[in-house]
Amino acid sequence: MCAPRPGADGGGRPGPPASRDDETGWDAFVAAHPEGTIFHTRTWARIVLTAFPRLRDASLVVSGDDTPCILPLFTWSRAGGLFRTLHSSFPFAYGGPVPSRDDAGADLACRLLPRPRHLLCSWRVTGNPFVDAGQAIASRSPSANTSRSRSANLSPSRPAEISPSRVEADPTPPPGFTAEQDATHLLALPATEAAYWGGVLTTAQRNDWRRLAKKGVTVEETRAERDADAVYELYRTSFAHWGGEPRFANPRGFYRALLAHGGDAVRLTVVRHKGRLAGGCLVLRWNGKAHYLAGYFDREARALRPTALLQIESILRAIRDGYRWYDFLPSGGHASVEAFKEGLGGRRTPFPIWTRRGGLHRLRPGA
């Protein structure tokens, strides 16, 4: 790679980090771009490298004469290293280069991905819904009416407006890659809790919240490892409901690693009823975006509607703390889950996934 260009770029943003070992510089570079998410940071890399010891960090800094960018990249090895897949995110969250486009608006992934020579490896490069969709949603949202004076004084948790030139859900894949598509649901957060409470939630949803509060149901944030472990057990028991053990499951230490290495960006929220944990969720908050990473509930407590309580509480807290976006994350193709997220204000927002099968995977498709 070319030597990094020192200093800030012409727009006043920090210059690219010297390498992936420059964690502070890397995260500052990502934070300076409105599309940057926690999944692009070295903080996230530290979490997944702890929880998934088979991962190897291959993240890149690209600078020099090109538009400077970073590319999170992790090598996932199986069968003693015989089969390897390079992921731009892990486990299956957002990735791709930041920034995603050069100054002329051309996709950097199309220029960047053919560079690395890993012919035997497979690739999975997951795009980012905040590259293009943000402005389209914001233009239809009450939060788009932010005044100029207020915008000029946004805190780091409320960055400048995303302003892409176009919305492109399925851009041309890089050479040698195949394009797929996934979707999340994004909610452009209003400026106040009252605006969400009265303008997005239905009367039935508000009445449910009040009714359950009277029944002794509480919703609270926690950092206790025992609560993280309890939510993980709910995750494991959810497999039966969704069709059995999946091919890929998060390890037991994943949620603990989130709390240990994510700092204030990781919020664990739980629902309790008479002292018993009825459900819990993990929300990641960084660079103006709150991502609902995972949430599970005790099916015996379904009548208490723990999932709705967790989502609404997390949204209200994000508004209270000045965040601009609430990201429900992909729904795994479950129509009922998508309908639930839309009922809380989320708008379906597609993003691309680019894949390439390496030589060994073509010989062994199931590996």
Side-chain angles (χ1 to χ4, degrees), residues 1-313:
M1 294 297 166
C2 300
R5 184 172 59 191
D9 65 18
R13 292 190 174 111
S19 71
R20 63 174 178 253
D21 296 326
D22 178 12
E23 296 193 356
T24 300
W26 179 294
D27 287 359
F29 181 80
V30 174
H33 293 273
E35 68 198 60
T37 72
I38 191 171
F39 304 112
H40 293 92
T41 66
R42 301 307 295 164
T43 298
W44 184 251
R46 195 179 316 117
I47 291 168
V48 298
L49 290 169
T50 299
F52 300 90
R54 283 192 291 172
L55 282 185
R56 292 295 178 266
D57 192 1
S59 301
L60 302 173
V61 177
V62 180
S63 53
D65 295 333
D66 296 329
T67 300
C69 67
I70 59 91
L71 178 66
L73 207 57
F74 303 99
T75 305
W76 177 249
S77 298
R78 299 169 303 287
L82 181 62
F83 295 97
R84 294 183 294 162
T85 303
L86 285 158
H87 290 269
S88 73
S89 61
F90 206 89
F92 316 119
Y94 309 139
V98 172
S100 62
R101 298 196 178 102
D102 64 18
D103 294 338
D107 288 317
L108 284 173
C110 289
R111 191 164 71 220
L112 173 63
L113 291 179
R115 291 185 180 189
R117 302 301 180 187
H118 297 277
L119 298 179
L120 296 180
C121 295
S122 293
W123 285 74
R124 181 182 176 89
V125 179
T126 307
N128 180 358
F130 290 97
V131 171
D132 285 317
Q135 184 66 30
I137 293 176
S139 67
R140 301 191 296 267
S141 165
S143 67
N145 297 324
T146 306
S147 69
R148 288 184 181 273
S149 61
R150 183 180 173 195
S151 296
N153 293 288
L154 293 175
S155 69
S157 67
R158 294 179 69 81
E161 192 74 63
I162 298 173
S163 54
S165 58
R166 67 191 186 280
V167 174
E168 193 175 84
D170 191 17
T172 302
F177 284 73
T178 300
E180 303 173 16
Q181 191 183 94
D182 202 348
T184 184
H185 280 73
L186 296 182
L187 168 63
L189 294 173
T192 66
E193 295 173 73
Y196 180 74
W197 186 259
V200 179
L201 296 181
T202 65
T203 300
Q205 288 170 323
R206 295 193 295 270
N207 288 341
D208 259 355
W209 182 278
R210 298 185 183 102
R211 175 180 59 83
L212 292 168
K214 292 177 181 178
K215 287 190 172 185
V217 177
T218 61
V219 187
E220 63 184 24
E221 285 193 355
T222 174
R223 299 197 72 82
E225 286 188 345
R226 65 178 180 277
D227 290 328
D229 293 343
V231 173
Y232 182 83
E233 291 305 321
L234 293 176
Y235 161 68
R236 298 289 305 183
T237 58
S238 73
F239 294 166
H241 176 72
W242 296 111
E245 180 92 18
R247 287 187 62 187
F248 176 89
N250 291 325
R252 185 168 297 277
F254 183 40
Y255 295 170
R256 285 195 175 198
L258 283 161
L259 291 175
H261 298 286
D264 194 50
V266 176
R267 302 299 180 99
L268 173 60
T269 305
V270 297
V271 172
R272 303 188 199 275
H273 183 234
K274 298 180 179 178
R276 178 184 177 186
L277 192 141
C281 74
L282 286 150
V283 174
L284 309 178
R285 308 198 319 180
W286 192 82
N287 207 31
K289 307 168 187 69
H291 307 272
Y292 181 84
L293 181 68
Y296 306 96
F297 65 95
D298 184 345
R299 303 200 71 80
E300 293 182 5
R302 189 170 186 172
L304 300 176
R305 297 179 58 78
T307 302
L309 292 176
L310 290 166
Q311 290 277 19
I312 292 171
E313 177 67 16

Side-chain angles (χ1 to χ4, degrees), residues 314-329:
S314 297
I315 291 168
L316 293 175
R317 286 177 184 267
I319 295 170
R320 188 181 313 151
D321 292 339
Y323 284 77
R324 298 193 61 173
W325 295 99
Y326 192 83
D327 175 15
F328 290 90
L329 259 69

